[in-house]
């Protein structure tokens, strides 16, 4: 099988407009590729950091529950898994139960939304505590 | 431009436009998919390690509650468990006697461990614990290994526990020694109340720890003894349980003189 050779005229017959267009497209491709790579890396980094933050939050939630157990709390009344997962972060501190709030406003507002609707955070005597709705 | 050149030029531009279109669409869809750093590791920690930590906390909570319940069962019973009451019997109002008619009936504290172990077996039937031990305020035991499997791997962890529950059964040794002293000093004494006032430790109260009142019935005196080390344990069934001072209820028959050689 023989390949037809392209003549020199075919290769070099590019006019000035085409040359400028090629340069412009090359620049566009360069930026697109850069944007593509950077945005990809950036979103991967963000996802990676979010994953670590989520893990640390739940892990700290479990440790907070350990402290509660040490203080005599009856953890059999709560679902450890969902309570730890509902933990929020406020000014670098992981909030798992009402007793973790140290500021009255945050306690009353339940700033990190740890309540699942079964209890309300109440402030009394410089401490935040959970007031259960209904049966408790 | 001849025909061949035109064909080449057209093909070139078509490929060029196709590349730009592909890149443009990819950028609009959020960029190239780069591998997320540490994705497997985080998945492993979340699906296996955290799961294990939550399980261990649940076991610890059950173990802690069981130990607390047994301690609260024993203290008002003078250190006796319900299944194994004092051989000296009880007073008319149900207080365990430690000494009656010359017989000393001190509480067998090792029963606390047996009772805790049997309750644990009921509460966590899937687990068997060995070498359970109360060592000062530490309650520890060896558990079997447990494995968690997920789509990212397998994690095996020990279910042994080591809980500082803030209470020690060793306190009964001190109470026994103090009871022994009271018996030596005051058993058979004619002026029983004044002898006891002089010789009983401050944390030994008459009848009740809230409103102490000396009452004797044929030489039998009921005591409410406050924890000498001021140990507190949680009471009640709420999530945030208050902690109360441990108090022991016991009675001594001081009518008969105590003979330690018997």
């Amino acid at each position: 099988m023989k390949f037809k050779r392209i003549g020199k005229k075919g290769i070099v017959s590019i006019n000035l407009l085409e040359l400028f267009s090629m340069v412009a497209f090359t620049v566009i491709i360069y930026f697109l590729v850069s944007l593509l790579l950077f945005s990809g890396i950036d979103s991967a980094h963000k996802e990676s950091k979010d994953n670590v933050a989520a893990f640390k939050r739940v892990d700290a939630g479990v440790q907070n529950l350990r402290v509660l157990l040490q203080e005599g709390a009856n953890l059999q009344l709560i679902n450890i898994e969902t309570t730890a997962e509902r933990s929020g972060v406020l000014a670098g501190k992981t909030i798992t139960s009402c007793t973790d709030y140290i500021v009255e406003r945050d306690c009353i507002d339940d700033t990190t939304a740890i309540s699942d609707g079964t209890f309300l955070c109440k402030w009394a005597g410089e401490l935040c505590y959970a007031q259960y709705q209904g049966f408790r | 431009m001849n025909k061949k050149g035109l064909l080449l030029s057209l093909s070139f531009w078509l490929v060029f436009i196709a590349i730009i279109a592909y890149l443009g669409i990819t950028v609009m869809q959020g960029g190239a998919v780069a591998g997320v750093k540490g994705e497997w590791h985080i998945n492993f920690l979340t699906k296996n390690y955290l799961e294990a930590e939550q399980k261990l906390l649940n076991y610890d909570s059950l173990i802690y509650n069981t130990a607390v319940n047994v301690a609260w069962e024993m203290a008002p019973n003078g250190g006796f468990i319900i299944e194994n009451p004092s051989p000296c019997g009880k007073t008319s109002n149900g207080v365990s006697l430690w000494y009656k008619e010359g017989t000393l009936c001190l509480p067998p504290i090792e029963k606390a461990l047996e009772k805790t172990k049997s309750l644990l077996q009921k509460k966590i039937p899937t687990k068997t614990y060995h070498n359970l031990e109360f060592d000062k305020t530490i309650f520890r035991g060896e558990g079997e290994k447990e494995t968690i499997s997920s789509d990212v791997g397998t994690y095996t962890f020990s279910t042994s526990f080591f809980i500082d529950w803030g209470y020690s059964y060793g306190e009964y040794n001190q109470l026994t020694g103090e009871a022994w002293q009271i018996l030596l000093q005051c058993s058979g004494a004619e002026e029983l109340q004044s002898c006891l006032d002089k010789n009983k430790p401050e944390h030994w109260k008459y009848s009740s720890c809230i409103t102490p009142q000396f009452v004797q019935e044929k030489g039998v005196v009921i005591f409410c003894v406050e924890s000498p080390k001021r140990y507190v344990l949680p009471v009640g069934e709420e999530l945030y349980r208050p902690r109360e001072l441990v108090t022991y209820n016991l009675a001594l028959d001081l009518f008969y003189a105590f003979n330690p050689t018997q």
Side-chain angles (χ1 to χ4, degrees), chain A residues 25 48 66 70 74 76-77, chain B residues 16 37 60-61 164 237:
Chain A
F25 276 114
S48 183
R66 272 206 177 277
Q70 200 66 39
N74 187 359
Q76 292 309 301
L77 297 176
Chain B
F16 216 65
K37 278 182 187 171
D60 283 358
S61 162
D164 187 351
E237 291 299 320

Side-chain angles (χ1 to χ4, degrees), chain A residues 20-84:
Chain A
F20 280 126
S21 307
M22 272 179 70
V23 172
F25 276 114
T26 309
V27 171
I28 289 168
I29 283 191
Y30 172 76
F31 279 109
L32 274 175
V33 169
S34 302
L35 188 66
L36 185 74
L37 292 175
F38 279 115
S39 64
I41 290 166
D42 194 48
S43 67
H45 275 181
K46 192 178 175 305
E47 195 179 334
S48 183
K49 279 191 273 187
D50 286 350
N51 287 344
V52 173
F55 164 72
K56 295 271 281 181
R57 181 176 54 77
V58 181
D59 189 38
V62 175
Q63 300 316 318
N64 280 350
L65 290 176
R66 272 206 177 277
V67 174
L68 268 189
L69 176 65
Q70 200 66 39
E71 288 169 354
N74 187 359
L75 298 186
Q76 292 309 301
L77 297 176
I78 58 167
N79 184 320
I80 289 170
E81 193 179 342
T82 51
T83 307

